[in-house]
């Protein structure tokens, strides 16, 4: 009976240890502030993946294990081409919801191996409009970002919005061009206009003088 009681007590202690919550104030404060950030690889030359999920603010003593709605397995975090530790993904043509489980590393100074929090992040499907001619000319447009959510945007509406965007860009650029033209006119044509006016005034005075001399005779 005593042996059975000792075994039960050991099992209870073991279970409580595995499920114990971290009480470190620094980690708890971080867990309340942390967010899942999203970054595309558009500005990373020769990036292997399309986008990255990472935690901000970051820590060096954590591990991330991720599952998502399009894949049944578990993905572990790794350092990616952007130099951040997080989860990377290829192109997907359906909305994708991630569940990120954050653990302290086994060699962490406090709460080693314990799960700290669980976070969710939904990522839109790949924006196929980003491959259009509009986006080739205006890659900075919001609708042209590789991971912009355009799922409910028809082709006609995309074209309409992009035409409005292009018109707005042209309108922004035109005043500068007009100012340049006015500067050229002022700087160069003034040297033509002023001499013509001076010559006109000279001849008008000369003609008036000749007329007065004739009238005097």
């Amino acid at each position: 009976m005593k042996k059975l009681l000792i075994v039960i007590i050991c099992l209870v202690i073991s279970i409580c240890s595995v499920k114990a919550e971290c009480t470190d104030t620094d980690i708890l404060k971080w867990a309340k502030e942390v967010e899942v950030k999203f970054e595309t690889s558009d500005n990373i030359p020769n990036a292997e993946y399309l986008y990255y999920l990472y935690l901000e603010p970051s820590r060096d003593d954590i591990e991330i294990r991720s599952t998502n709605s399009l894949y049944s397995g578990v993905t572990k975090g790794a350092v990616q081409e952007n130099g951040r530790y997080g989860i990377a993904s290829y192109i997907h043509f359906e909305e994708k919801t991630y569940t990120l489980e954050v653990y302290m590393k086994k060699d962490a100074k406090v709460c080693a191996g314990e799960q700290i929090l669980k976070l969710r992040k939904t990522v839109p499907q790949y924006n196929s409009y980003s491959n259009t001619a509009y986006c080739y000319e205006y890659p900075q447009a919001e609708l042209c970002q590789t991971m912009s959510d355009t799922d409910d945007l028809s082709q006609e509406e995309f074209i309409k919005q992009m035409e409005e965007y292009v018109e707005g860009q042209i309108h922004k650029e035109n005043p500068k061009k007009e100012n340049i033209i006015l500067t050229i006119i002022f700087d160069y044509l003034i040297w033509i206009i002023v001499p013509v006016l001076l010559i006109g005034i000279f001849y008008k005075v000369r003609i008036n003088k000749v007329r007065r001399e004739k009238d005097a005779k």
Side-chain angles (χ1 to χ4, degrees):
M1 186 68 181
K2 289 183 178 179
K3 289 183 178 180
L4 180 60
L5 184 59
I6 292 172
V7 170
I8 293 173
I9 292 173
C10 289
L11 286 173
V12 171
I13 292 173
S14 176
I15 291 171
C16 291
S17 176
V18 171
K19 295 184 178 179
E21 294 183 358
C22 180
T23 58
D24 182 79
T25 55
D26 177 61
I27 294 176
L28 292 177
K29 183 177 182 295
W30 173 81
K32 290 181 180 180
E33 297 175 351
V34 71
E35 295 180 78
V36 182
K37 295 292 186 177
F38 178 87
E39 180 179 305
T40 66
S41 58
D42 292 341
N43 299 322
I44 303 175
N46 303 317
E48 184 180 353
Y49 299 98
L50 176 64
Y51 64 84
Y52 308 89
L53 296 179
Y54 60 95
L55 302 183
E56 186 66 40
S58 62
R59 294 182 67 101
D60 296 330
D61 54 358
I62 61 168
E63 292 180 344
I64 299 174
R65 301 172 195 173
S66 168
T67 58
N68 65 73
S69 57
L70 301 182
Y71 175 61
S72 59
V74 177
T75 302
K76 292 185 178 180
V79 177
Q80 311 300 338
E81 285 93 337
N82 59 358
R84 298 183 186 276
Y85 173 78
I87 304 298
S89 178
Y90 295 102
I91 290 174
H92 51 85
F93 294 96
E94 295 180 38
E95 187 178 80
K96 193 174 184 179
T97 299
Y98 287 86
T99 299
L100 304 177
E101 295 182 349
V102 183
Y103 292 81
M104 298 302 295
K105 289 182 179 180
K106 292 181 179 180
D107 59 352
K109 293 181 179 180
V110 292
C111 304
E114 292 185 22
Q115 181 177 330
I116 304 304
L117 73 162
K118 183 184 291 186
L119 300 167
R120 290 183 180 274
K121 179 71 173 181
T122 298
V123 179
Q125 66 186 41
Y126 176 72
N127 177 20
S128 57
Y129 290 128
S130 63
N131 293 323
T132 62
Y134 279 112
C135 293
Y136 179 79
E137 292 293 331
Y138 297 92
Q140 71 278 11
E142 178 62 30
L143 291 178
C144 291
Q145 303 309 301
T146 54
M147 299 307 299
S148 287
D149 189 356
T150 58
D151 186 31
D152 297 327
L153 194 66
S154 67
Q155 185 173 350
E156 291 76 16
E157 185 63 25
F158 170 76
I159 293 174
K160 178 182 177 182
Q161 291 190 30
M162 283 305 299
E163 287 179 346
E164 291 174 354
Y165 175 84
V166 172
E167 184 177 348
Q169 293 300 305
I170 293 174
H171 178 72
K172 288 180 180 178
E173 294 172 1
N174 274 343
K176 296 179 181 180
K177 293 180 179 179
E178 290 173 359
N179 289 338
I180 292 173
I181 293 173
L182 291 174
T183 300
I184 293 173
I185 292 174
F186 181 81
D187 288 345
Y188 293 96
L189 294 188
I190 194 170
W191 297 106
I192 299 174
I193 294 172
V194 171
V196 169
L197 289 175
L198 291 175
I199 292 172
I201 293 171
F202 173 77
Y203 278 105
K204 185 176 182 180
V205 171
R206 185 67 181 274
I207 290 171
N208 289 337
K209 182 179 179 181
V210 171
R211 285 178 178 175
R212 284 196 299 272
E213 290 177 352
K214 287 183 178 180
D215 292 340
K217 294 179 180 179

